Amino acid sequence: MRETLIKKVKTLGIFSVILIHNTCRTLLGDEEDENSLLDTVMKAGDGIRIISASIGIKVELRDFLVGEYQFDYKKPITTLISCCIFNDPISSKIKDIHGSFIANVYTITQHVVLANIVLQFLLKISDSREVSGKRKDKIKLERENAEEFINHFILLFIDLKEQFKVNYPDMYNNLVNLEQYVEQDKVSKLHYKNIYGVLNGFMEGVYVDLSEIYERQKRAQSLLVELKRCKPGKQEWMDYERIGIQILEFLFLPRFKIIIKQSRTENGDTRRDAVISNNQTMGFWGMINSEFDSKHIICEFKNYATNVNGDQLNQLRMYLLKPTIGRFGLLFLRNKPTKRLLQARKRIYEESKILILIIDDELAEKMINYRVYTEYPEEILEELKNDFELSY
């Protein structure tokens, strides 16, 4: 659990820098394709919102851009540093809920990524062949603020030296190597390359493989496009079932070994759509196994254009009465459940202690996004279970 939290917080730190950095580049009209930069900004924003919610904090992205420091895209490095340090709305909220250690993980990650970008900027402008005389005058303040940040960065890490020694032993030696530049009380272009080299050791310590997240984003986008194209109604029920099973596979493989697909008759009402063999003993699925004897999770897909009624819910109930299955199932449908359907579910629970969680398109999309950014879409199922229990 703690390792999962640390990974989420590290990813938050990386995305916070990506959000500001690429917002500046977009507004400046950077040489890269503007649509690509905007896409990066949007994905970073989505990541921040979803991961923040998953660790119990609410973040408004505008707080990064509107706060103590006025956002100025014409000064991209100064703005990047200032927005991440002074406007950052995340660190204090993490500290309030999860304590100083986890908040420091966020700060360390954010500052390492930020220092990496700042040092790349300093290395670039230190090469007089790449910067004209007129432009040097314009970026003088940027360079001074960049060097001031690097000093701040080193001093911050020295202040956290003991935490590094205990929790980041592989990074501790890199920290000792940085101290010499503060002792000399200066950071000049003679030190840029040396500090950048030392920084690479820190990058390995805070590294989160964003390429995996970006790959999941592509798959998620493809699934969501297919889901939205599939029209509710009998005519496309087979497409909805196919897409639904693909969504299950995206959400829960390889955590579960296999999603067992079932054949169905033409009217779509006589067979189980999908079965997940529940081999989990820990976390949400372990809890479901323990509470509901759920050796298998039955999943049903109803592509109804009209409201799903209690009869369809009872069909799932019949499967879940079998002692070899368990008393927990998932019902996927296109629209939000009606009050009558929720009442029918409550009766089923009262009579048989069977819990059926109902997932409409909006919740399916939310689970897909949680799979992308947190790897744990069952967090949404746990919320639904809690909501049911508290409103029972």
Side-chain angles (χ1 to χ4, degrees), residues 12 14 18 41 62 69 102 108 156 174 186 245 264 274 291 302 305 311 379:
L12 266 181
I14 295 171
I18 289 174
V41 170
R62 67 185 301 274
Y69 182 83
I102 298 299
I108 287 167
L156 171 69
N174 293 309
K186 59 181 178 179
I245 290 173
R264 302 186 68 185
E291 287 187 30
K302 303 295 183 185
D311 291 338
E379 290 180 15

Side-chain angles (χ1 to χ4, degrees), residues 120-183:
Q120 288 182 49
F121 164 76
L122 288 171
L123 285 168
K124 183 175 181 179
I125 65 170
S126 68
D127 189 342
S128 60
R129 293 170 296 180
E130 292 190 26
V131 183
S132 65
K134 183 179 290 187
R135 194 178 175 200
K136 280 184 179 179
D137 293 336
K138 291 182 179 180
I139 63 175
K140 180 181 178 182
L141 179 62
E142 290 277 85
R143 184 184 68 246
E144 291 173 351
N145 287 335
E147 290 179 348
E148 184 178 345
F149 167 74
I150 296 301
N151 269 317
H152 159 82
F153 165 77
I154 296 172
L155 289 170
L156 171 69
F157 276 39
I158 290 172
D159 189 49
L160 297 173
K161 182 191 292 187
E162 292 308 311
Q163 180 170 320
F164 273 92
K165 193 170 185 178
V166 174
N167 298 295
Y168 301 93
D170 293 340
M171 297 166 66
Y172 181 73
N173 290 335
N174 293 309
L175 178 58
V176 173
N177 291 334
L178 279 179
E179 286 191 79
Q180 62 180 300
Y181 300 110
V182 172
E183 289 169 1

Side-chain angles (χ1 to χ4, degrees), residues 179-194:
E179 286 191 79
Q180 62 180 300
Y181 300 110
V182 172
E183 289 169 1
Q184 294 172 14
D185 198 29
K186 59 181 178 179
V187 175
S188 73
K189 63 183 181 181
L190 296 175
H191 301 133
Y192 296 164
K193 288 184 180 180
N194 293 335

Side-chain angles (χ1 to χ4, degrees), residues 266-321:
E266 185 175 352
N267 64 18
D269 285 331
T270 61
R271 296 286 181 90
R272 299 171 295 205
D273 295 338
V275 180
I276 303 172
S277 293
N278 186 11
N279 58 353
Q280 303 295 301
T281 58
M282 303 290 287
F284 173 77
W285 295 111
M287 175 178 64
I288 292 300
N289 202 341
S290 174
E291 287 187 30
F292 300 98
D293 300 316
S294 291
K295 301 177 183 67
H296 305 279
I297 312 299
I298 305 299
C299 305
E300 284 283 300
F301 301 95
K302 303 295 183 185
N303 194 41
Y304 288 33
T306 56
N307 292 327
V308 175
N309 58 43
D311 291 338
Q312 282 74 42
L313 203 63
N314 278 325
Q315 177 186 316
L316 181 52
R317 174 190 187 179
M318 296 306 295
Y319 295 134
L320 297 173
L321 284 170

